[in-house]
Amino acid sequence: MTTLAPALPLLRIGPHTVQPPVVLAPMAGITNAPFRTLCREFSGGKGLFVSEMITTRALVERNEKTMQLIHFDASETPRSIQLYGVDPVTVGKAVRMIVDEDLADHIDLNFGCPVPKVTRKGGGSALPYKRPLLRAILREAVAQAGDLPVTIKMRKGIDDDHTTYLDAGRIAVEEGVTAVALHGRTTAQHYGGTADWDAIARLKEHVPEIPVLGNGDIWSADDALRMMRETGCDGVVVGRGCLGRPWLFGDLVSAFEGTGTRQAPVLRQVADVMLRHATLLGEWIGDESRGVIDFRKHVAWYLKGFAVGSDMRRKLAVTSSLEELGAQLQELDLDQPWPDGADGPRGRTSGNNRVALPDGWLKDPYDCAGVSADAELDTSGG
């Protein structure tokens, strides 16, 4: 039984009320329109569901893949889009394009991505180390956003010797950012170890003027409630915990609304969601086979903990049609109950990696000469 939630203040992101205060974290290749649809259905439309990372350069240049990624279903409100960029001018142009063409209702800026292809060029979670550049990007984004709220998502810093989150939070407040989300890990940790919830509490104390959202190690609704109690944060951002478990958002709504119920689907119900997920992907891409192929990455997450043999797992991971996927799912023991331990960690768990950075990046946090135009990815989605 889920712990009942205490009375909580409303989370406001500009003009938008997010109640319960739950946000789907942007995840490359995951939080596209089909997956957001599933999560939103289980939540009853409550919460905030953010797009995959959209590269500002690709958006301004109207890259075909990027223009597909910024598509929102008519039922999505508010429409939330995450941007990645390193050049203040390009970021500003992308934000202005979103405003002028009414492409979204909320803009989140990515300063938390730890992947080497991003950080080695000074982007993502490496960028806040360069305080003047961070300030310039935020100032331009807020100036061009008009009435649209601008938020940021970031990590603690590059490593334990080069933390940036307190400075970045203060800069965000000074430049008019509406809210900040902190993943309680450094870039060096990637997704390993344990998220530092104490850092989320320190950030909340440091920037009381705006909402602070906590991210990291939320595997269940109880975890979300505990994070808010222990840190005083204003909301939670859920990432890897919902991989293969979009119904987690239903659990979160129940927990925050105090009903205490949670879902523990039998394998038959999980299989139904899997087939629907693959179907939605095919409809979104415009090709059934490509949709099923794209779905393959989700198979292991959905089946985590269930007694499914290795041969069947391999078969499911190479399906290429809905008929084939449906037939193979019917071969499983579909009456299996929800497995013990399946609510725990999922997704990437690697950590303690060497951080890829531009040469001399750490010499001077105020020297921004190391960031060049090629740090702007020309495609989106991570």
Side-chain angles (χ1 to χ4, degrees):
M1 179 68 69
T2 301
T3 305
L4 298 185
L8 297 169
L10 296 177
L11 171 62
R12 299 192 185 278
I13 306 292
H16 310 297
T17 299
V18 183
Q19 193 67 8
V22 174
V23 179
L24 169 64
M27 290 180 282
I30 305 295
T31 57
N32 46 38
F35 188 71
R36 295 197 306 270
T37 293
L38 286 174
C39 295
R40 197 172 63 254
E41 287 176 351
F42 279 107
S43 78
K46 300 175 181 180
L48 183 66
F49 302 90
V50 188
S51 75
E52 293 185 64
M53 185 181 81
I54 303 299
T55 300
T56 53
R57 171 182 159 191
L59 181 60
V60 170
E61 295 177 355
R62 297 183 181 275
N63 173 275
E64 182 178 356
K65 175 185 176 184
T66 296
M67 299 310 288
Q68 181 189 28
L69 289 176
I70 64 171
H71 168 76
F72 291 92
D73 185 83
S75 64
E76 291 191 71
T77 179
R79 299 164 298 167
S80 182
I81 191 169
Q82 189 187 67
L83 297 180
Y84 159 80
V86 299
D87 173 49
V89 173
T90 305
V91 171
K93 287 179 179 178
V95 171
R96 175 48 53 184
M97 177 179 169
I98 290 169
V99 172
D100 289 345
E101 299 182 22
D102 188 26
L103 299 176
D105 305 306
H106 159 237
I107 295 170
D108 185 58
L109 298 177
N110 181 314
F111 299 108
C113 182
V115 301
K117 72 175 181 179
V118 171
T119 61
R120 73 164 46 98
K121 294 183 178 180
S125 56
L127 194 145
Y129 187 73
K130 302 297 186 180
R131 276 72 164 179
L133 179 57
L134 174 67
R135 185 181 295 277
I137 290 173
L138 297 184
R139 180 171 297 177
E140 187 65 19
V142 171
Q144 297 300 325
D147 294 334
L148 262 62
V150 175
T151 62
I152 67 172
K153 186 170 185 286
M154 59 185 181
R155 285 181 171 241
K156 287 174 55 181
I158 291 173
D159 54 36
D160 288 337
D161 295 323
H162 301 90
T163 59
T164 56
Y165 69 102
L166 295 179
D167 284 352
R170 180 47 49 191
I171 291 169
V173 170
E174 293 169 356
E175 296 304 328
V177 167
T178 304
V180 296
L182 177 64
H183 184 155
R185 286 181 170 87
T186 62
T187 305
Q189 284 181 278
H190 282 230
Y191 298 95
T194 301
D196 181 4
W197 289 8
D198 289 341
I200 298 168
R202 287 191 292 272
L203 180 62
K204 178 58 187 173
E205 293 173 353
H206 193 65
V207 291
E209 303 94 329
I210 61 176
V212 170
L213 284 70
N215 177 219
D217 293 352
I218 296 178
W219 310 112
S220 69
D222 279 338
D223 291 334
L225 296 180
R226 183 167 58 86
M227 174 185 277
M228 294 193 69
R229 286 195 305 268
E230 293 181 3
T231 70
C233 67
D234 302 282
V236 297
V237 179
V238 179
R240 292 174 297 148
C242 68
L243 294 175
R245 258 198 328 165
W247 51 86
L248 176 59
F249 286 93
D251 289 352
L252 288 161
V253 170
S254 296
F256 278 102
E257 293 185 347
T259 67
T261 59
R262 67 178 291 271
Q263 298 186 54
V266 300
L267 184 52
R268 186 181 310 280
Q269 295 168 305
V270 173
D272 288 343
V273 177
M274 293 173 70
L275 196 58
R276 174 156 168 72
H277 192 168
T279 301
L280 289 171
L281 281 167
E283 293 172 351
W284 178 64
I285 294 171
D287 184 294
E288 175 187 310
S289 180
R290 287 176 57 201
V292 174
I293 290 170
D294 189 73
F295 175 74
R296 292 173 180 173
K297 69 170 77 77
H298 298 270
V299 169
W301 296 324
Y302 275 110
L303 297 180
K304 178 180 171 66
F306 284 106
V308 178
S310 57
D311 287 345
M312 179 55 72
R313 287 178 183 270
R314 281 194 292 270
K315 288 179 181 178
L316 287 166
V318 295
T319 51
S320 57
S321 73
L322 291 173
E323 182 180 6
E324 183 183 7
L325 176 62
Q328 291 177 349
L329 289 171
Q330 287 302 311
E331 295 181 22
L332 304 178
D333 175 9
L334 295 175
D335 294 323
Q336 290 183 59
W338 183 251
D340 292 336
D343 291 333
R346 50 188 53 221
R348 294 165 290 186
T349 57
S350 60
N352 299 318
N353 294 302
R354 178 180 176 274
V355 182
L357 296 168
D359 290 341
W361 187 255
L362 298 178
K363 288 182 179 179
D364 185 352
Y366 298 95
D367 178 9
C368 303
V371 181
S372 60
D374 66 354
E376 278 275 7
L377 302 175
D378 59 3
T379 58
S380 298

